[in-house]
Amino acid sequence: MDAIPGVSVIGIDPRALIMAPTRELAIQLAKECLKLCRGFDSNDIKICNLYGGTKRTTQRCEAFGADIIVGTPGRVADLLFPQYIGRTRCDYIVLDEADRMLDDGFEEINRLIIEKIQKMRGPKPISKVLTSATFPVEIQKFATNILRRDYMYAQCGILNAPSASVTQEVVHVDDLNEKYDELDLVLQKYNIGTEGSTAKALIFANTKWKVDYLGCLLSDTLGEACTTMHGDRSQEQREFALTLFATSTSPVLVATNVAARGLDIPAVDLIINFDCSDKEYFHDDYIHRIGRTGRVGRPGTAVTFVQENGKHNDKKKTGILIELMKVGNAKIPDWLRDMAENMVRNLEEFT
């Protein structure tokens, strides 16, 4: 049978593979690829988006003959692997948010995808690119297993640091109940959800149930001005929530870290870290979360609640927070310094 024009003999065999940790980021990257390819004939370059939460059979059909595939690792592996039965023409592999893509959650499947493509590629080299706003030393070392030994390293701005265009603030709270009260005050201070205001706020919580709970609380006062987003939402619900927020139809979005990385949402004025991430991930999560504002030269504000008491207090994270605020030339209140010093003193006494 003669080959169909524009469709690889193998079937699904892209020239370039771009992968991201979340569905929303994969969708955004695919849209950016379309913009970059506007000058080409639509028959010359075909772009396909692969991610979970949608029909596998539909995406498989769309992937046939695609020159550029943008997707999440799970769906990419699911659709790509059965197709590779010989050589592949894949010249480029890109991992966006590479530090997340190479951590414990994604490392195995991404390594498997890359090794599979390299094996089918044979001796011909593949250009590989890793990008991220945070790139810890341990991830840089691990990258040497994926990139060639003499890989080129490019850095824009200060590595592993908050954006200089974001004003960082902290709010002291004794317990969870006070945190709820302070949330209302912060939203009022920045005119979020008030009549005639165009300001938008993105609120981060650590768990899905907390996102839902905050969404219910804020809906009582803000009504349809508040929407929510997390991993248990269907793909349609997640995309709809992002659209409502991006278009300012709902100026308040409460989300888990599913909205923390890479998303370019226009004109976000305020980030509220209602919950601080666990200490292990706090540094990088903080940088990525507050990076949703202050984009493309536009100023923004990030407010972080620091809880002193209770089961889920933030004392262990105060030292990291102070260092991040120093880099961003933020004013560090005395109470935060005291909390960090007391934490260190208590640890020394314990050990």
Side-chain angles (χ1 to χ4, degrees):
M1 184 176 69
D2 294 335
I4 301 173
V7 177
S8 168
V9 174
I10 295 178
I12 303 175
D13 184 22
R15 290 290 302 278
L17 175 62
I18 304 171
M19 294 188 290
T22 66
R23 302 170 187 175
E24 288 71 28
L25 185 52
I27 293 170
Q28 177 179 292
L29 290 171
K31 291 178 179 178
E32 293 303 312
C33 288
L34 286 171
K35 293 178 184 177
L36 293 172
C37 294
R38 279 177 180 169
F40 298 94
D41 189 293
S42 59
N43 294 321
D44 292 336
I45 299 181
K46 179 182 177 181
I47 299 169
C48 176
N49 223 175
L50 300 181
Y51 52 87
T54 57
K55 288 186 177 181
R56 181 181 178 278
T57 51
T58 301
Q59 287 193 342
R60 183 176 182 275
C61 291
E62 293 174 349
F64 272 81
D67 299 284
I68 301 174
I69 285 181
V70 186
T72 52
R75 183 54 61 93
V76 167
D78 186 29
L79 294 182
L80 218 58
F81 283 0
Q83 300 298 316
Y84 281 149
I85 54 177
R87 294 297 181 189
T88 175
R89 60 175 186 162
C90 188
D91 294 319
Y92 306 94
I93 299 175
V94 179
L95 300 185
D96 194 20
E97 304 296 341
D99 57 326
R100 181 73 180 94
M101 296 288 275
L102 297 178
D103 71 8
D104 293 338
F106 288 99
E107 182 243 321
E108 182 177 355
I109 190 169
N110 282 309
R111 182 194 288 274
L112 189 63
I113 292 171
I114 292 171
E115 289 177 350
K116 181 79 171 180
I117 294 175
Q118 285 179 325
K119 180 179 179 181
M120 308 313 278
R121 180 73 172 174
K124 296 184 68 176
I126 301 174
S127 297
K128 286 167 279 189
V129 179
L130 311 181
T131 64
S132 182
T134 51
F135 220 40
V137 174
E138 58 271 19
I139 297 296
Q140 293 182 42
K141 291 179 180 178
F142 182 76
T144 59
N145 298 323
I146 295 212
L147 305 174
R148 65 190 187 199
R149 291 184 178 180
D150 60 337
Y151 69 84
M152 183 179 72
Y153 177 81
Q155 179 177 320
C156 299
I158 303 174
L159 182 65
N160 299 325
S163 171
S165 59
V166 179
T167 300
Q168 301 176 65
E169 299 178 3
V170 287
V171 174
H172 176 274
V173 294
D174 286 322
D175 52 31
L176 184 58
N177 290 328
E178 186 179 357
K179 194 186 286 191
Y180 290 127
D181 295 335
E182 288 293 336
L183 177 60
D184 289 333
L185 295 176
V186 170
L187 292 175
Q188 292 172 20
K189 176 182 176 181
Y190 290 95
N191 297 317
I192 305 297
T194 59
E195 187 176 353
S197 173
T198 59
K200 294 195 295 190
L202 175 52
I203 304 171
F204 285 103
N206 285 347
T207 62
K208 300 166 187 175
W209 75 262
K210 181 71 73 61
V211 167
D212 288 335
Y213 185 68
L214 285 175
C216 290
L217 284 180
L218 293 175
S219 293
D220 289 340
T221 56
L222 301 176
E224 295 181 358
C226 177
T227 188
T228 60
M229 175 180 163
H230 56 65
D232 278 353
R233 294 277 189 266
S234 69
Q235 188 57 36
E236 291 78 9
Q237 289 173 326
R238 287 163 64 165
E239 292 181 33
F240 185 58
L242 267 182
T243 300
L244 290 176
F245 185 57
T247 58
S248 298
T249 304
S250 294
V252 177
L253 174 64
V254 186
T256 56
N257 277 345
V258 73
R261 284 180 173 261
L263 294 183
D264 186 18
I265 305 169
V268 178
D269 301 279
L270 177 66
I271 300 295
I272 299 177
N273 287 313
F274 185 85
D275 291 330
C276 292
S277 299
D278 293 339
K279 183 182 178 183
E280 181 182 359
Y281 303 103
F282 177 71
H283 179 279
D284 290 357
D285 282 352
Y286 182 84
I287 293 173
H288 285 281
R289 282 179 174 187
I290 73 172
R292 297 315 98 213
T293 188
R295 302 178 69 81
V296 199
R298 179 186 172 97
T301 301
V303 176
T304 299
F305 292 161
V306 181
Q307 183 175 327
E308 185 170 8
N309 301 306
K311 181 180 179 181
H312 300 290
N313 68 74
D314 301 309
K315 294 177 182 178
K316 293 182 179 179
K317 308 156 195 173
T318 50
I320 302 172
L321 179 57
I322 287 174
E323 292 303 315
L324 289 168
M325 293 180 71
K326 284 180 179 178
V327 175
N329 297 316
K331 182 179 179 180
I332 302 170
D334 291 338
W335 63 261
L336 184 61
R337 294 184 188 274
D338 292 341
M339 193 185 299
E341 291 172 1
N342 289 335
M343 186 65 206
V344 172
R345 191 178 303 113
N346 291 336
L347 285 174
E348 290 175 347
E349 292 176 355
F350 179 77
T351 55

